[in-house]
Amino acid sequence: SRGYYIEQQAVEWPIRVQINGLTDCPLDANCQQVYVQVGLYFNGGLVPPGARRNMPYMHIDDGAMDLNMDAPRTEAVSMCKSPRFAGTSIYVSDHILADVHPHSRIGFMVFGIREDGRHLPIAGVSIPLVDVEGRIVNGAKALKLWPHHELQLQRDANLGKGENPLPGKPELGS
């Protein structure tokens, strides 16, 4: 049996997610609190409010997954190895799912709040909204996150400055 699924065109409600918690949160980020920001993305950029499936909304922004204070997010909780959230639903956008481009993605970015109030991006991931068979991604998921470059720079301030060469780096011979 193929199982039960809902076609995207049949969905007449907004997109929402529920975030329960994190595991293996990096304590070396030196943050007091942590939260997760969620957004709907297409072609590398946040889908603007009111955009619909048949409208061109090509947007490319290299910092699309970075801090956006207006984006939906969880409540900030105390930083620990496995922080837990209240488990309340977060509406990702005001878009009706049937109106969203099928190649859109849902992006998740974990932020830490430092003692000085600065928000440090820790790690993130984005997943397709619709799978290759046109089915809406749903159900419980455990997502692996990619560390953000700002976290990597906090761990090693010389990263990317040529002062920490990679061991075994290949050389081009002439």
Side-chain angles (χ1 to χ4, degrees):
S1 139
R2 293 183 56 139
Y4 176 75
Y5 70 94
I6 302 171
E7 291 187 14
Q8 180 181 356
Q9 294 77 13
V11 179
E12 295 292 328
W13 59 81
I15 303 164
R16 65 183 179 157
V17 298
Q18 179 176 323
I19 299 171
N20 295 320
L22 300 168
T23 57
D24 297 324
C25 219
L27 299 178
D28 62 344
N30 297 321
C31 296
Q32 277 60 51
Q33 292 184 304
V34 65
Y35 64 90
V36 180
Q37 189 178 66
V38 185
L40 182 63
Y41 296 87
F42 178 75
N43 199 28
L46 194 62
V47 175
R52 296 293 178 244
R53 181 184 188 143
N54 59 353
M55 294 171 52
Y57 50 94
M58 305 301 243
H59 176 84
I60 298 175
D61 179 6
D62 290 337
M65 290 287 286
D66 290 337
L67 181 63
N68 175 352
M69 293 305 283
D70 296 327
R73 66 185 199 177
T74 64
E75 293 292 322
V77 297
S78 294
M79 178 67 137
C80 64
K81 192 71 174 163
S82 297
R84 296 287 171 235
F85 301 95
T88 57
S89 293
I90 299 171
Y91 285 90
V92 177
S93 71
D94 62 348
H95 298 88
I96 301 300
L97 190 53
D99 290 337
V100 174
H101 193 284
H103 293 119
S104 297
R105 300 175 73 79
I106 295 179
F108 301 88
M109 180 62 75
V110 177
F111 284 89
I113 303 174
R114 310 222 21 207
E115 193 172 313
D116 62 3
R118 195 171 69 103
H119 295 245
L120 175 71
I122 295 174
V125 67
S126 66
I127 60 171
L129 181 62
V130 177
D131 69 15
V132 294
E133 295 182 12
R135 296 181 294 198
I136 299 165
V137 175
N138 62 59
K141 305 278 184 247
L143 304 174
K144 301 286 186 188
L145 306 178
W146 292 92
H148 194 276
H149 67 273
E150 285 193 36
L151 175 64
Q152 303 292 16
L153 287 172
Q154 179 173 313
R155 289 175 170 166
D156 182 356
N158 292 322
L159 192 66
K161 296 182 179 174
E163 298 177 22
N164 52 355
L166 296 174
K169 183 178 176 184
E171 294 181 17
L172 180 63
S174 55

